[in-house]
Amino acid sequence: MEPEKDQFLEDMRWTIDWAALKLLVLNCQRCSLRQGCTQVVFGAGNEQAKLLVIGEGPGADEDQQGEPFVGAAGRLLDNILQTSGFSRRSNVYIANIVKCRPPGNRVPTPEERERCLPILREQFRRLRPKIVLLLGATAIQSILGTKEPIGKVRGTWQERGGVLFMPTYHPAALLRNPNWKKDVWEDMKEVVRLYRELVDPEHFPELKL
Protein backbone atom coordinates (compact mmCIF):
# COMPACT_ATOMS: atom_id res chain seq x y z
CA MET A 1 0.00 0.00 0.00
CA GLU A 2 1.46 3.38 -1.02
CA PRO A 3 1.84 6.03 1.71
CA GLU A 4 -0.79 8.74 1.61
CA LYS A 5 0.40 11.90 -0.14
CA ASP A 6 0.77 15.07 1.88
CA GLN A 7 -1.20 17.49 -0.29
CA PHE A 8 0.40 20.54 1.31
CA LEU A 9 3.87 19.28 0.37
CA GLU A 10 2.68 18.45 -3.14
CA ASP A 11 1.18 21.91 -3.57
CA MET A 12 4.29 23.58 -2.17
CA ARG A 13 6.53 21.63 -4.50
CA TRP A 14 4.65 22.79 -7.59
CA THR A 15 4.11 26.46 -6.74
CA ILE A 16 5.56 28.57 -9.55
CA ASP A 17 7.00 31.58 -7.77
CA TRP A 18 7.73 33.09 -4.36
CA ALA A 19 4.38 34.88 -4.21
CA ALA A 20 2.48 31.63 -4.76
CA LEU A 21 4.63 29.80 -2.21
CA LYS A 22 4.12 32.56 0.36
CA LEU A 23 0.35 32.53 -0.16
CA LEU A 24 0.26 28.77 0.34
CA VAL A 25 2.37 28.95 3.52
CA LEU A 26 0.35 31.83 4.97
CA ASN A 27 -2.64 29.51 4.95
CA CYS A 28 -0.75 26.59 6.50
CA GLN A 29 -2.51 24.55 9.19
CA ARG A 30 0.03 21.72 9.49
CA CYS A 31 0.40 21.94 13.28
CA SER A 32 -1.39 23.35 16.31
CA LEU A 33 0.87 26.43 16.49
CA ARG A 34 -1.26 28.13 13.84
CA GLN A 35 -4.29 28.01 16.14
CA GLY A 36 -2.59 30.06 18.84
CA CYS A 37 -0.78 32.72 16.81
CA THR A 38 -1.91 35.85 15.01
CA GLN A 39 -0.30 35.08 11.67
CA VAL A 40 2.27 32.98 9.85
CA VAL A 41 5.68 34.64 9.55
CA PHE A 42 6.96 33.48 6.18
CA GLY A 43 10.33 35.25 6.03
CA ALA A 44 11.79 38.50 4.72
CA GLY A 45 14.63 39.84 2.66
CA ASN A 46 16.15 39.64 -0.78
CA GLU A 47 14.98 36.50 -2.58
CA GLN A 48 18.21 36.53 -4.61
CA ALA A 49 20.42 36.68 -1.50
CA LYS A 50 23.29 34.24 -1.07
CA LEU A 51 23.39 34.75 2.71
CA LEU A 52 20.52 33.08 4.56
CA VAL A 53 19.93 33.77 8.26
CA ILE A 54 17.89 31.22 10.21
CA GLY A 55 16.47 31.73 13.71
CA GLU A 56 14.13 29.76 15.95
CA GLY A 57 10.64 31.19 15.48
CA PRO A 58 8.51 34.33 15.78
CA GLY A 59 8.11 36.18 19.05
CA ALA A 60 5.32 38.53 20.06
CA ASP A 61 6.47 41.45 17.86
CA GLU A 62 7.03 39.19 14.87
CA ASP A 63 3.63 37.60 15.36
CA GLN A 64 1.99 41.01 15.25
CA GLN A 65 3.96 42.45 12.33
CA GLY A 66 4.33 39.32 10.22
CA GLU A 67 8.09 39.71 9.71
CA PRO A 68 10.99 37.86 11.40
CA PHE A 69 13.30 39.61 13.85
CA VAL A 70 11.54 42.95 14.38
CA GLY A 71 11.68 43.17 18.19
CA ALA A 72 14.65 44.00 20.41
CA ALA A 73 16.56 40.93 19.21
CA GLY A 74 15.75 41.90 15.63
CA ARG A 75 17.13 45.39 16.07
CA LEU A 76 20.33 43.90 17.45
CA LEU A 77 20.50 41.49 14.51
CA ASP A 78 20.09 44.40 12.09
CA ASN A 79 22.98 46.19 13.81
CA ILE A 80 25.16 43.08 13.58
CA LEU A 81 24.35 42.67 9.89
CA GLN A 82 24.87 46.36 9.13
CA THR A 83 28.25 46.37 10.83
CA SER A 84 29.19 43.43 8.62
CA GLY A 85 27.97 45.15 5.45
CA PHE A 86 24.70 43.23 5.15
CA SER A 87 21.05 44.22 5.10
CA ARG A 88 17.81 42.25 5.02
CA ARG A 89 16.67 44.64 2.29
CA SER A 90 19.61 44.11 -0.05
CA ASN A 91 21.75 40.99 0.38
CA VAL A 92 20.25 38.81 3.15
CA TYR A 93 17.18 36.62 3.51
CA ILE A 94 15.87 35.88 7.03
CA ALA A 95 13.70 32.91 8.01
CA ASN A 96 12.91 30.74 11.02
CA ILE A 97 12.68 27.04 11.81
CA VAL A 98 8.97 27.42 12.64
CA LYS A 99 6.76 30.03 11.02
CA CYS A 100 4.21 30.46 13.84
CA ARG A 101 4.80 31.76 17.35
CA PRO A 102 4.85 29.04 20.03
CA PRO A 103 2.71 29.93 23.08
CA GLY A 104 4.63 32.07 25.54
CA ASN A 105 7.63 32.07 23.20
CA ARG A 106 8.54 28.57 24.35
CA VAL A 107 10.97 26.43 22.36
CA PRO A 108 9.15 24.62 19.54
CA THR A 109 8.79 20.89 20.07
CA PRO A 110 10.54 18.36 17.80
CA GLU A 111 7.15 17.52 16.26
CA GLU A 112 6.41 21.18 15.50
CA ARG A 113 9.83 21.63 13.93
CA GLU A 114 9.38 18.53 11.80
CA ARG A 115 6.03 19.73 10.50
CA CYS A 116 7.45 23.13 9.57
CA LEU A 117 10.89 22.23 8.23
CA PRO A 118 9.63 21.29 4.73
CA ILE A 119 8.70 24.96 4.25
CA LEU A 120 12.21 26.08 5.15
CA ARG A 121 13.65 23.41 2.86
CA GLU A 122 11.55 24.76 -0.01
CA GLN A 123 12.74 28.29 0.73
CA PHE A 124 16.29 26.96 0.83
CA ARG A 125 15.85 25.17 -2.49
CA ARG A 126 14.66 28.36 -4.15
CA LEU A 127 17.24 30.67 -2.55
CA ARG A 128 20.26 28.42 -3.15
CA PRO A 129 22.35 30.25 -0.54
CA LYS A 130 26.12 29.96 -0.40
CA ILE A 131 26.34 30.77 3.31
CA VAL A 132 23.86 30.18 6.14
CA LEU A 133 24.06 31.88 9.54
CA LEU A 134 22.38 29.74 12.21
CA LEU A 135 21.17 31.69 15.24
CA GLY A 136 20.71 29.76 18.47
CA ALA A 137 20.30 26.17 19.62
CA THR A 138 17.02 25.40 17.86
CA ALA A 139 18.32 26.45 14.45
CA ILE A 140 21.66 24.72 14.98
CA GLN A 141 20.18 21.44 16.20
CA SER A 142 17.42 21.36 13.59
CA ILE A 143 19.65 22.06 10.61
CA LEU A 144 22.91 20.38 11.61
CA GLY A 145 21.38 17.45 13.51
CA THR A 146 23.66 17.96 16.50
CA LYS A 147 22.99 18.02 20.24
CA GLU A 148 26.30 19.68 21.06
CA PRO A 149 26.00 22.88 23.11
CA ILE A 150 26.40 26.14 21.19
CA GLY A 151 29.68 26.89 22.94
CA LYS A 152 31.26 23.86 21.27
CA VAL A 153 30.04 24.45 17.72
CA ARG A 154 29.77 28.21 17.33
CA GLY A 155 32.42 29.82 15.20
CA THR A 156 33.18 26.61 13.31
CA TRP A 157 32.17 26.19 9.68
CA GLN A 158 29.90 23.23 9.01
CA GLU A 159 29.44 21.98 5.45
CA ARG A 160 26.28 20.25 4.22
CA GLY A 161 25.72 19.56 0.54
CA GLY A 162 28.17 22.17 -0.61
CA VAL A 163 26.64 24.90 1.57
CA LEU A 164 28.59 26.38 4.48
CA PHE A 165 26.85 26.96 7.82
CA MET A 166 28.09 29.24 10.59
CA PRO A 167 26.50 28.48 14.00
CA THR A 168 26.43 31.35 16.47
CA TYR A 169 24.45 32.80 19.37
CA HIS A 170 20.91 34.08 18.93
CA PRO A 171 20.59 37.88 19.36
CA ALA A 172 18.12 37.30 22.22
CA ALA A 173 20.88 35.43 24.06
CA LEU A 174 23.20 38.40 23.55
CA LEU A 175 20.65 40.66 25.23
CA ARG A 176 20.78 38.37 28.26
CA ASN A 177 24.54 37.86 28.16
CA PRO A 178 26.35 40.78 26.46
CA ASN A 179 29.72 39.06 27.03
CA TRP A 180 28.88 36.75 24.12
CA LYS A 181 28.80 39.67 21.68
CA LYS A 182 32.55 39.44 21.14
CA ASP A 183 32.15 35.82 20.04
CA VAL A 184 29.48 36.81 17.52
CA TRP A 185 31.74 39.54 16.12
CA GLU A 186 34.42 36.94 15.54
CA ASP A 187 31.88 34.68 13.84
CA MET A 188 30.71 37.53 11.62
CA LYS A 189 34.28 38.25 10.58
CA GLU A 190 34.40 34.71 9.25
CA VAL A 191 31.09 35.20 7.45
CA VAL A 192 32.38 38.39 5.80
CA ARG A 193 35.62 36.70 4.81
CA LEU A 194 33.86 33.77 3.17
CA TYR A 195 31.18 35.95 1.58
CA ARG A 196 33.94 37.99 -0.04
CA GLU A 197 35.54 34.78 -1.28
CA LEU A 198 32.40 33.01 -2.54
CA VAL A 199 29.94 35.75 -3.45
CA ASP A 200 31.25 39.30 -3.73
CA PRO A 201 34.98 40.13 -3.70
CA GLU A 202 34.05 43.80 -3.35
CA HIS A 203 32.14 43.29 -0.10
CA PHE A 204 33.84 45.61 2.37
CA PRO A 205 31.83 46.77 5.40
CA GLU A 206 31.82 50.51 6.08
CA LEU A 207 32.55 49.84 9.74
CA LYS A 208 35.78 48.04 10.51
CA LEU A 209 35.19 44.68 12.16
Side-chain angles (χ1 to χ4, degrees):
M1 183 175 180
E2 293 185 3
E4 184 178 348
K5 285 186 177 180
D6 187 320
Q7 191 59 50
F8 181 85
L9 299 185
E10 289 292 309
D11 292 344
M12 184 169 59
R13 178 184 177 191
W14 296 111
T15 50
I16 297 172
D17 55 24
W18 271 94
L21 176 65
K22 183 175 182 179
L23 182 62
L24 180 67
V25 172
L26 292 182
N27 289 284
C28 175
Q29 299 284 340
R30 285 173 60 76
C31 77
S32 60
L33 288 182
R34 183 66 185 93
Q35 301 168 15
C37 72
T38 302
Q39 56 187 316
V40 178
V41 181
F42 179 76
N46 187 336
E47 293 160 7
Q48 306 299 319
K50 296 306 173 186
L51 174 60
L52 172 61
V53 177
I54 301 176
E56 177 178 288
D61 293 314
E62 291 77 12
D63 185 46
Q64 289 297 319
Q65 299 185 41
E67 185 169 330
F69 285 96
V70 293
R75 290 189 291 273
L76 178 54
L77 175 61
D78 284 340
N79 288 338
I80 292 169
L81 292 173
Q82 182 181 9
T83 301
S84 306
F86 299 111
S87 165
R88 70 170 73 196
R89 304 304 176 196
S90 61
N91 52 8
V92 173
Y93 194 86
I94 302 176
N96 281 311
I97 296 296
V98 298
K99 309 302 186 189
C100 296
R101 181 194 181 195
N105 288 355
R106 63 164 172 75
V107 176
T109 67
E111 292 77 15
E112 290 162 350
R113 299 181 209 179
E114 190 62 30
R115 297 298 287 173
C116 211
L117 274 173
I119 299 172
L120 181 60
R121 293 190 188 105
E122 186 66 19
Q123 291 176 306
F124 193 98
R125 186 181 71 82
R126 291 162 180 263
L127 284 165
R128 296 186 179 180
K130 300 276 189 184
I131 302 168
V132 181
L133 183 65
L134 299 174
L135 303 177
T138 297
I140 293 169
Q141 293 170 2
S142 299
I143 300 299
L144 300 182
T146 179
K147 293 185 179 180
E148 292 283 353
I150 296 180
K152 286 193 174 182
V153 297
R154 63 136 291 269
T156 62
W157 286 111
Q158 308 286 323
E159 188 271 336
R160 299 289 191 281
V163 180
L164 287 157
F165 295 80
M166 173 57 72
T168 194
Y169 294 111
H170 194 286
L174 302 184
L175 295 176
R176 297 190 297 268
N177 192 334
N179 290 333
W180 288 342
K181 288 183 179 181
K182 61 181 182 297
D183 295 323
V184 174
W185 294 130
E186 293 302 315
D187 299 343
M188 290 306 299
K189 287 180 184 179
E190 274 294 297
V191 171
V192 169
R193 179 190 65 78
L194 198 64
Y195 188 87
R196 195 177 295 152
E197 178 182 326
L198 298 180
V199 181
D200 181 6
E202 301 302 319
H203 182 83
F204 291 95
E206 292 184 10
L207 300 176
K208 185 177 180 181
L209 291 175

